[in-house]
Amino acid sequence: MDASLLTIQPASAEPIYRQIVEQLRRLIAGGQIAPGDLLPSVRDVAGFHAVNPMTVSRAYSLAESEGLLERLRGKGMAVAAVKRATQSQVQRLALLEPQITALARQARELELPAEPVLRRLGKLLEE
Amino acid sequence: MDASLLTIQPASAEPIYRQIVEQLRRLIAGGQIAPGDLLPSVRDVAGFHAVNPMTVSRAYSLAESEGLLERLRGKGMAVAAVKRATQSQVQRLALLEPQITALARQARELELPAEPVLRRLGKLLEE
Amino acid sequence: MDASLLTIQPASAEPIYRQIVEQLRRLIAGGQIAPGDLLPSVRDVAGFHAVNPMTVSRAYSLAESEGLLERLRGKGMAVAAVKRATQSQVQRLALLEPQITALARQARELELPAEPVLRRLGKLLEE
Amino acid sequence: MDASLLTIQPASAEPIYRQIVEQLRRLIAGGQIAPGDLLPSVRDVAGFHAVNPMTVSRAYSLAESEGLLERLRGKGMAVAAVKRATQSQVQRLALLEPQITALARQARELELPAEPVLRRLGKLLEE
DNA sequence: GTGGTCTAGACCACG
DNA sequence: GTGGTCTAGACCACA
């Protein structure tokens, strides 16, 4: 796996370390990185994205404590083998539930009909 | 207008005062509250949702400094009259663009096909 | 940059947090603090001027939302880089226009001739 | 004296009642309204400037408690006779001292030279 | 170390 | 009645 697989938006309100953890969670759930795959080193990620190494380290540690990653002494961090194989579609959809619910609520506050929202999202999903 | 129009989620990562501002922005853009409408008082909102009055006050002040609201001295806060009429559907959809984009990106990271995501969102939108 | 650059008058009718914001606006426009300069920390300013840290924090937040300052995560607040270079003399004079107009109106209400007012102001400006 | 002699800016940060009191102070000090002159009624001022009568009433009461005005039962408020004759130029200039000082400080924060500030003020004073 | 958020409560300003 | 300001202090998030 390569440092360029991660997307980091320093200007976002979401803290950087959480951007990393959440992306790892989804990349693993979606199977784009598989159990045993070695992650890029803290230094590589920090250098590539111009963020503080401590921030990356913190993200990795958090992911490790969640069981997403495991530390291979002397080699680095890898995707955890146990219990973290690709999940079913239903499970993966469930991970998006909070975001979908929030979007629906906001569309209602805007008095937007369903159709244009679905059309826009559909378009982005097909790219 | 009634304090129950606002929805507050104390457990959310988004700070309460910003939840309020963002909701106001959408309720105004969607036309659910119209220019001149008086908002519920700081104390009412704070009491109803069991948050500190200063938190609500902060949201109102911020919304005022953005031009969403205006202060009627001695009467309270009202939806600003200038240039804040209900917006077109296109404009309102644009306000959702960041959330839609984020959702699409996350679905892609989860390797989810478009169909189940759209179906789930469509279902919530029709409620 | 040092906490002593700011002047705070606790007895003034103008709220402290706004005194700070307005001073920052002028110090930036006048070039006394330049884009990228790190401001003194909230705690430093609060300690130095014996005000509550939240009051200073509020000023900084407001200045940030106006685009005067930007947050460097973990480092503090800095003068915003974008479009905030020192302004021309004409632009800076325009920032004083409301105060000058008010002074002229008050002098006229007092039926004061121009000369003594100008003399007094001139004297203070040359110190 | 006529209600139109007062200038009221509802949008200003300065509270309306104080705008009124301060103007009265200056109009009296400058001799534009003389001891014994009858002021317009609260209702007239409130109607003419579209402000709350209570606000005008409060301003009048405050001015009375300061000795600027006196209440003539059945006739209304009048400029107080005692000790409130037109003041000397030096005394009137002293009333402007705080505003002049503030203006000078702000010009310094803006790094403005004396000349353009004095020129602008002079121009407004001669109108 | 930095700033952010929230609370509880006091007191003021305004109408 | 309305909102505004400030304090004191707790706790969190981030780097």
Side-chain angles (χ1 to χ4, degrees), chain A residues 32-61:
Chain A
Q32 299 184 44
I33 51 181
D37 283 2
L38 213 58
L39 291 173
S41 75
V42 166
R43 271 176 79 178
D44 282 357
V45 175
F48 187 84
H49 292 99
V51 298
N52 192 315
M54 207 199 282
T55 306
V56 182
S57 173
R58 185 180 178 180
Y60 278 12
S61 298

PDB file of all heavy atoms in Angstrom, chain A residues 32-61:
ATOM      1  N   GLN A  32     -10.085  -2.902  -0.233  1.00  0.00           N
ATOM      2  CA  GLN A  32      -9.025  -2.326  -1.054  1.00  0.00           C
ATOM      3  C   GLN A  32      -7.656  -2.532  -0.430  1.00  0.00           C
ATOM      4  O   GLN A  32      -6.647  -2.499  -1.127  1.00  0.00           O
ATOM      5  CB  GLN A  32      -9.297  -0.841  -1.304  1.00  0.00           C
ATOM      6  CG  GLN A  32     -10.616  -0.650  -2.056  1.00  0.00           C
ATOM      7  CD  GLN A  32     -10.855   0.804  -2.397  1.00  0.00           C
ATOM      8  OE1 GLN A  32      -9.966   1.496  -2.832  1.00  0.00           O
ATOM      9  NE2 GLN A  32     -12.071   1.260  -2.200  1.00  0.00           N
ATOM     10  N   ILE A  33      -7.630  -2.696   0.852  1.00  0.00           N
ATOM     11  CA  ILE A  33      -6.400  -3.178   1.480  1.00  0.00           C
ATOM     12  C   ILE A  33      -6.796  -4.397   2.306  1.00  0.00           C
ATOM     13  O   ILE A  33      -7.818  -4.393   2.988  1.00  0.00           O
ATOM     14  CB  ILE A  33      -5.693  -2.104   2.339  1.00  0.00           C
ATOM     15  CG1 ILE A  33      -6.658  -1.453   3.340  1.00  0.00           C
ATOM     16  CG2 ILE A  33      -5.086  -1.030   1.460  1.00  0.00           C
ATOM     17  CD1 ILE A  33      -6.003  -0.381   4.185  1.00  0.00           C
ATOM     18  N   ALA A  34      -5.992  -5.427   2.217  1.00  0.00           N
ATOM     19  CA  ALA A  34      -6.387  -6.723   2.780  1.00  0.00           C
ATOM     20  C   ALA A  34      -5.558  -7.074   4.004  1.00  0.00           C
ATOM     21  O   ALA A  34      -4.444  -6.548   4.191  1.00  0.00           O
ATOM     22  CB  ALA A  34      -6.223  -7.799   1.712  1.00  0.00           C
ATOM     23  N   PRO A  35      -6.069  -7.949   4.840  1.00  0.00           N
ATOM     24  CA  PRO A  35      -5.336  -8.399   6.025  1.00  0.00           C
ATOM     25  C   PRO A  35      -3.918  -8.803   5.657  1.00  0.00           C
ATOM     26  O   PRO A  35      -3.703  -9.525   4.684  1.00  0.00           O
ATOM     27  CB  PRO A  35      -6.155  -9.611   6.495  1.00  0.00           C
ATOM     28  CG  PRO A  35      -7.546  -9.300   6.074  1.00  0.00           C
ATOM     29  CD  PRO A  35      -7.414  -8.551   4.775  1.00  0.00           C
ATOM     30  N   GLY A  36      -2.984  -8.303   6.437  1.00  0.00           N
ATOM     31  CA  GLY A  36      -1.589  -8.622   6.185  1.00  0.00           C
ATOM     32  C   GLY A  36      -0.864  -7.552   5.390  1.00  0.00           C
ATOM     33  O   GLY A  36       0.362  -7.435   5.471  1.00  0.00           O
ATOM     34  N   ASP A  37      -1.601  -6.766   4.635  1.00  0.00           N
ATOM     35  CA  ASP A  37      -0.958  -5.696   3.854  1.00  0.00           C
ATOM     36  C   ASP A  37      -0.215  -4.745   4.780  1.00  0.00           C
ATOM     37  O   ASP A  37      -0.732  -4.339   5.818  1.00  0.00           O
ATOM     38  CB  ASP A  37      -2.013  -4.887   3.080  1.00  0.00           C
ATOM     39  CG  ASP A  37      -2.500  -5.636   1.844  1.00  0.00           C
ATOM     40  OD1 ASP A  37      -2.061  -6.771   1.627  1.00  0.00           O
ATOM     41  OD2 ASP A  37      -3.328  -5.066   1.112  1.00  0.00           O
ATOM     42  N   LEU A  38       0.966  -4.371   4.362  1.00  0.00           N
ATOM     43  CA  LEU A  38       1.764  -3.449   5.164  1.00  0.00           C
ATOM     44  C   LEU A  38       1.383  -2.006   4.823  1.00  0.00           C
ATOM     45  O   LEU A  38       1.270  -1.649   3.651  1.00  0.00           O
ATOM     46  CB  LEU A  38       3.248  -3.674   4.858  1.00  0.00           C
ATOM     47  CG  LEU A  38       4.223  -3.460   6.017  1.00  0.00           C
ATOM     48  CD1 LEU A  38       3.880  -4.358   7.195  1.00  0.00           C
ATOM     49  CD2 LEU A  38       5.650  -3.719   5.541  1.00  0.00           C
ATOM     50  N   LEU A  39       1.218  -1.210   5.860  1.00  0.00           N
ATOM     51  CA  LEU A  39       0.901   0.200   5.611  1.00  0.00           C
ATOM     52  C   LEU A  39       2.180   0.997   5.391  1.00  0.00           C
ATOM     53  O   LEU A  39       3.253   0.590   5.837  1.00  0.00           O
ATOM     54  CB  LEU A  39       0.154   0.776   6.821  1.00  0.00           C
ATOM     55  CG  LEU A  39      -1.248   0.207   6.999  1.00  0.00           C
ATOM     56  CD1 LEU A  39      -1.853   0.702   8.301  1.00  0.00           C
ATOM     57  CD2 LEU A  39      -2.122   0.633   5.821  1.00  0.00           C
ATOM     58  N   PRO A  40       2.072   2.134   4.730  1.00  0.00           N
ATOM     59  CA  PRO A  40       3.251   3.001   4.580  1.00  0.00           C
ATOM     60  C   PRO A  40       3.667   3.509   5.955  1.00  0.00           C
ATOM     61  O   PRO A  40       2.840   3.676   6.843  1.00  0.00           O
ATOM     62  CB  PRO A  40       2.750   4.143   3.689  1.00  0.00           C
ATOM     63  CG  PRO A  40       1.274   4.131   3.839  1.00  0.00           C
ATOM     64  CD  PRO A  40       0.880   2.702   4.076  1.00  0.00           C
ATOM     65  N   SER A  41       4.948   3.774   6.103  1.00  0.00           N
ATOM     66  CA  SER A  41       5.442   4.203   7.412  1.00  0.00           C
ATOM     67  C   SER A  41       4.900   5.577   7.778  1.00  0.00           C
ATOM     68  O   SER A  41       4.477   6.351   6.923  1.00  0.00           O
ATOM     69  CB  SER A  41       6.968   4.267   7.395  1.00  0.00           C
ATOM     70  OG  SER A  41       7.379   5.412   6.671  1.00  0.00           O
ATOM     71  N   VAL A  42       4.909   5.824   9.079  1.00  0.00           N
ATOM     72  CA  VAL A  42       4.487   7.128   9.575  1.00  0.00           C
ATOM     73  C   VAL A  42       5.241   8.238   8.842  1.00  0.00           C
ATOM     74  O   VAL A  42       4.639   9.231   8.401  1.00  0.00           O
ATOM     75  CB  VAL A  42       4.743   7.230  11.095  1.00  0.00           C
ATOM     76  CG1 VAL A  42       4.635   8.671  11.565  1.00  0.00           C
ATOM     77  CG2 VAL A  42       3.748   6.355  11.852  1.00  0.00           C
ATOM     78  N   ARG A  43       6.534   8.039   8.696  1.00  0.00           N
ATOM     79  CA  ARG A  43       7.341   9.067   8.022  1.00  0.00           C
ATOM     80  C   ARG A  43       6.904   9.291   6.584  1.00  0.00           C
ATOM     81  O   ARG A  43       6.839  10.424   6.114  1.00  0.00           O
ATOM     82  CB  ARG A  43       8.810   8.654   8.030  1.00  0.00           C
ATOM     83  CG  ARG A  43       9.560   9.115   9.256  1.00  0.00           C
ATOM     84  CD  ARG A  43      10.969   8.579   9.237  1.00  0.00           C
ATOM     85  NE  ARG A  43      11.864   9.325   8.357  1.00  0.00           N
ATOM     86  CZ  ARG A  43      13.161   9.054   8.220  1.00  0.00           C
ATOM     87  NH1 ARG A  43      13.691   8.061   8.924  1.00  0.00           N
ATOM     88  NH2 ARG A  43      13.903   9.763   7.405  1.00  0.00           N
ATOM     89  N   ASP A  44       6.635   8.188   5.876  1.00  0.00           N
ATOM     90  CA  ASP A  44       6.220   8.331   4.481  1.00  0.00           C
ATOM     91  C   ASP A  44       4.918   9.117   4.369  1.00  0.00           C
ATOM     92  O   ASP A  44       4.798  10.039   3.560  1.00  0.00           O
ATOM     93  CB  ASP A  44       6.021   6.948   3.839  1.00  0.00           C
ATOM     94  CG  ASP A  44       7.355   6.320   3.468  1.00  0.00           C
ATOM     95  OD1 ASP A  44       8.396   6.995   3.667  1.00  0.00           O
ATOM     96  OD2 ASP A  44       7.361   5.179   2.998  1.00  0.00           O
ATOM     97  N   VAL A  45       3.958   8.716   5.168  1.00  0.00           N
ATOM     98  CA  VAL A  45       2.655   9.392   5.093  1.00  0.00           C
ATOM     99  C   VAL A  45       2.809  10.863   5.451  1.00  0.00           C
ATOM    100  O   VAL A  45       2.289  11.755   4.770  1.00  0.00           O
ATOM    101  CB  VAL A  45       1.637   8.725   6.034  1.00  0.00           C
ATOM    102  CG1 VAL A  45       0.335   9.498   6.041  1.00  0.00           C
ATOM    103  CG2 VAL A  45       1.388   7.285   5.598  1.00  0.00           C
ATOM    104  N   ALA A  46       3.540  11.106   6.547  1.00  0.00           N
ATOM    105  CA  ALA A  46       3.700  12.492   6.997  1.00  0.00           C
ATOM    106  C   ALA A  46       4.419  13.322   5.938  1.00  0.00           C
ATOM    107  O   ALA A  46       4.025  14.458   5.642  1.00  0.00           O
ATOM    108  CB  ALA A  46       4.467  12.525   8.315  1.00  0.00           C
ATOM    109  N   GLY A  47       5.451  12.745   5.354  1.00  0.00           N
ATOM    110  CA  GLY A  47       6.186  13.477   4.322  1.00  0.00           C
ATOM    111  C   GLY A  47       5.329  13.723   3.096  1.00  0.00           C
ATOM    112  O   GLY A  47       5.244  14.851   2.600  1.00  0.00           O
ATOM    113  N   PHE A  48       4.657  12.682   2.646  1.00  0.00           N
ATOM    114  CA  PHE A  48       3.860  12.790   1.429  1.00  0.00           C
ATOM    115  C   PHE A  48       2.752  13.830   1.553  1.00  0.00           C
ATOM    116  O   PHE A  48       2.474  14.590   0.624  1.00  0.00           O
ATOM    117  CB  PHE A  48       3.252  11.428   1.088  1.00  0.00           C
ATOM    118  CG  PHE A  48       2.559  11.378  -0.231  1.00  0.00           C
ATOM    119  CD1 PHE A  48       3.271  11.142  -1.406  1.00  0.00           C
ATOM    120  CD2 PHE A  48       1.185  11.568  -0.320  1.00  0.00           C
ATOM    121  CE1 PHE A  48       2.629  11.102  -2.648  1.00  0.00           C
ATOM    122  CE2 PHE A  48       0.540  11.538  -1.550  1.00  0.00           C
ATOM    123  CZ  PHE A  48       1.267  11.303  -2.720  1.00  0.00           C
ATOM    124  N   HIS A  49       2.094  13.846   2.714  1.00  0.00           N
ATOM    125  CA  HIS A  49       0.957  14.751   2.863  1.00  0.00           C
ATOM    126  C   HIS A  49       1.286  16.019   3.633  1.00  0.00           C
ATOM    127  O   HIS A  49       0.386  16.831   3.905  1.00  0.00           O
ATOM    128  CB  HIS A  49      -0.200  14.028   3.552  1.00  0.00           C
ATOM    129  CG  HIS A  49      -0.820  12.952   2.717  1.00  0.00           C
ATOM    130  ND1 HIS A  49      -0.515  11.628   2.880  1.00  0.00           N
ATOM    131  CD2 HIS A  49      -1.704  13.011   1.691  1.00  0.00           C
ATOM    132  CE1 HIS A  49      -1.212  10.912   2.003  1.00  0.00           C
ATOM    133  NE2 HIS A  49      -1.929  11.711   1.263  1.00  0.00           N
ATOM    134  N   ALA A  50       2.542  16.170   4.001  1.00  0.00           N
ATOM    135  CA  ALA A  50       2.961  17.374   4.716  1.00  0.00           C
ATOM    136  C   ALA A  50       2.155  17.607   5.986  1.00  0.00           C
ATOM    137  O   ALA A  50       1.620  18.688   6.227  1.00  0.00           O
ATOM    138  CB  ALA A  50       2.866  18.600   3.798  1.00  0.00           C
ATOM    139  N   VAL A  51       2.043  16.563   6.776  1.00  0.00           N
ATOM    140  CA  VAL A  51       1.412  16.735   8.089  1.00  0.00           C
ATOM    141  C   VAL A  51       2.400  16.297   9.152  1.00  0.00           C
ATOM    142  O   VAL A  51       3.442  15.705   8.865  1.00  0.00           O
ATOM    143  CB  VAL A  51       0.108  15.918   8.218  1.00  0.00           C
ATOM    144  CG1 VAL A  51      -0.919  16.374   7.205  1.00  0.00           C
ATOM    145  CG2 VAL A  51       0.388  14.429   8.064  1.00  0.00           C
ATOM    146  N   ASN A  52       2.058  16.588  10.384  1.00  0.00           N
ATOM    147  CA  ASN A  52       2.932  16.271  11.500  1.00  0.00           C
ATOM    148  C   ASN A  52       2.985  14.747  11.714  1.00  0.00           C
ATOM    149  O   ASN A  52       1.953  14.106  11.820  1.00  0.00           O
ATOM    150  CB  ASN A  52       2.391  16.967  12.747  1.00  0.00           C
ATOM    151  CG  ASN A  52       3.373  16.932  13.895  1.00  0.00           C
ATOM    152  OD1 ASN A  52       3.971  15.908  14.168  1.00  0.00           O
ATOM    153  ND2 ASN A  52       3.543  18.073  14.541  1.00  0.00           N
ATOM    154  N   PRO A  53       4.203  14.183  11.787  1.00  0.00           N
ATOM    155  CA  PRO A  53       4.320  12.733  11.982  1.00  0.00           C
ATOM    156  C   PRO A  53       3.551  12.240  13.207  1.00  0.00           C
ATOM    157  O   PRO A  53       3.003  11.145  13.205  1.00  0.00           O
ATOM    158  CB  PRO A  53       5.826  12.524  12.186  1.00  0.00           C
ATOM    159  CG  PRO A  53       6.467  13.700  11.531  1.00  0.00           C
ATOM    160  CD  PRO A  53       5.512  14.843  11.671  1.00  0.00           C
ATOM    161  N   MET A  54       3.490  13.098  14.237  1.00  0.00           N
ATOM    162  CA  MET A  54       2.794  12.674  15.439  1.00  0.00           C
ATOM    163  C   MET A  54       1.309  12.430  15.161  1.00  0.00           C
ATOM    164  O   MET A  54       0.681  11.575  15.781  1.00  0.00           O
ATOM    165  CB  MET A  54       2.961  13.742  16.528  1.00  0.00           C
ATOM    166  CG  MET A  54       2.870  13.171  17.932  1.00  0.00           C
ATOM    167  SD  MET A  54       2.516  14.437  19.124  1.00  0.00           S
ATOM    168  CE  MET A  54       4.105  15.205  19.299  1.00  0.00           C
ATOM    169  N   THR A  55       0.786  13.217  14.236  1.00  0.00           N
ATOM    170  CA  THR A  55      -0.622  13.071  13.889  1.00  0.00           C
ATOM    171  C   THR A  55      -0.884  11.717  13.224  1.00  0.00           C
ATOM    172  O   THR A  55      -1.860  11.022  13.538  1.00  0.00           O
ATOM    173  CB  THR A  55      -1.041  14.198  12.927  1.00  0.00           C
ATOM    174  OG1 THR A  55      -0.713  15.449  13.506  1.00  0.00           O
ATOM    175  CG2 THR A  55      -2.522  14.140  12.647  1.00  0.00           C
ATOM    176  N   VAL A  56       0.026  11.336  12.322  1.00  0.00           N
ATOM    177  CA  VAL A  56      -0.118  10.046  11.651  1.00  0.00           C
ATOM    178  C   VAL A  56       0.045   8.921  12.661  1.00  0.00           C
ATOM    179  O   VAL A  56      -0.741   7.960  12.688  1.00  0.00           O
ATOM    180  CB  VAL A  56       0.927   9.896  10.532  1.00  0.00           C
ATOM    181  CG1 VAL A  56       0.756   8.577   9.813  1.00  0.00           C
ATOM    182  CG2 VAL A  56       0.836  11.063   9.557  1.00  0.00           C
ATOM    183  N   SER A  57       1.040   9.080  13.514  1.00  0.00           N
ATOM    184  CA  SER A  57       1.293   8.068  14.520  1.00  0.00           C
ATOM    185  C   SER A  57       0.072   7.867  15.409  1.00  0.00           C
ATOM    186  O   SER A  57      -0.316   6.742  15.747  1.00  0.00           O
ATOM    187  CB  SER A  57       2.492   8.493  15.354  1.00  0.00           C
ATOM    188  OG  SER A  57       2.676   7.621  16.438  1.00  0.00           O
ATOM    189  N   ARG A  58      -0.546   8.979  15.757  1.00  0.00           N
ATOM    190  CA  ARG A  58      -1.720   8.895  16.597  1.00  0.00           C
ATOM    191  C   ARG A  58      -2.850   8.147  15.884  1.00  0.00           C
ATOM    192  O   ARG A  58      -3.559   7.337  16.491  1.00  0.00           O
ATOM    193  CB  ARG A  58      -2.173  10.316  16.936  1.00  0.00           C
ATOM    194  CG  ARG A  58      -3.321  10.332  17.906  1.00  0.00           C
ATOM    195  CD  ARG A  58      -3.724  11.754  18.212  1.00  0.00           C
ATOM    196  NE  ARG A  58      -4.857  11.759  19.120  1.00  0.00           N
ATOM    197  CZ  ARG A  58      -5.416  12.854  19.562  1.00  0.00           C
ATOM    198  NH1 ARG A  58      -4.941  14.016  19.185  1.00  0.00           N
ATOM    199  NH2 ARG A  58      -6.454  12.794  20.370  1.00  0.00           N
ATOM    200  N   ALA A  59      -3.001   8.414  14.602  1.00  0.00           N
ATOM    201  CA  ALA A  59      -4.045   7.738  13.833  1.00  0.00           C
ATOM    202  C   ALA A  59      -3.787   6.239  13.801  1.00  0.00           C
ATOM    203  O   ALA A  59      -4.693   5.426  14.017  1.00  0.00           O
ATOM    204  CB  ALA A  59      -4.093   8.302  12.412  1.00  0.00           C
ATOM    205  N   TYR A  60      -2.533   5.872  13.570  1.00  0.00           N
ATOM    206  CA  TYR A  60      -2.195   4.449  13.523  1.00  0.00           C
ATOM    207  C   TYR A  60      -2.461   3.783  14.874  1.00  0.00           C
ATOM    208  O   TYR A  60      -2.994   2.679  14.940  1.00  0.00           O
ATOM    209  CB  TYR A  60      -0.721   4.278  13.137  1.00  0.00           C
ATOM    210  CG  TYR A  60      -0.449   4.357  11.641  1.00  0.00           C
ATOM    211  CD1 TYR A  60      -1.425   4.817  10.759  1.00  0.00           C
ATOM    212  CD2 TYR A  60       0.769   3.953  11.109  1.00  0.00           C
ATOM    213  CE1 TYR A  60      -1.172   4.887   9.395  1.00  0.00           C
ATOM    214  CE2 TYR A  60       1.027   4.012   9.742  1.00  0.00           C
ATOM    215  CZ  TYR A  60       0.048   4.488   8.890  1.00  0.00           C
ATOM    216  OH  TYR A  60       0.285   4.550   7.548  1.00  0.00           O
ATOM    217  N   SER A  61      -2.056   4.475  15.942  1.00  0.00           N
ATOM    218  CA  SER A  61      -2.259   3.897  17.271  1.00  0.00           C
ATOM    219  C   SER A  61      -3.740   3.692  17.549  1.00  0.00           C
ATOM    220  O   SER A  61      -4.153   2.661  18.096  1.00  0.00           O
ATOM    221  CB  SER A  61      -1.667   4.821  18.344  1.00  0.00           C
ATOM    222  OG  SER A  61      -0.280   4.945  18.151  1.00  0.00           O
TER     223      SER A  61
END
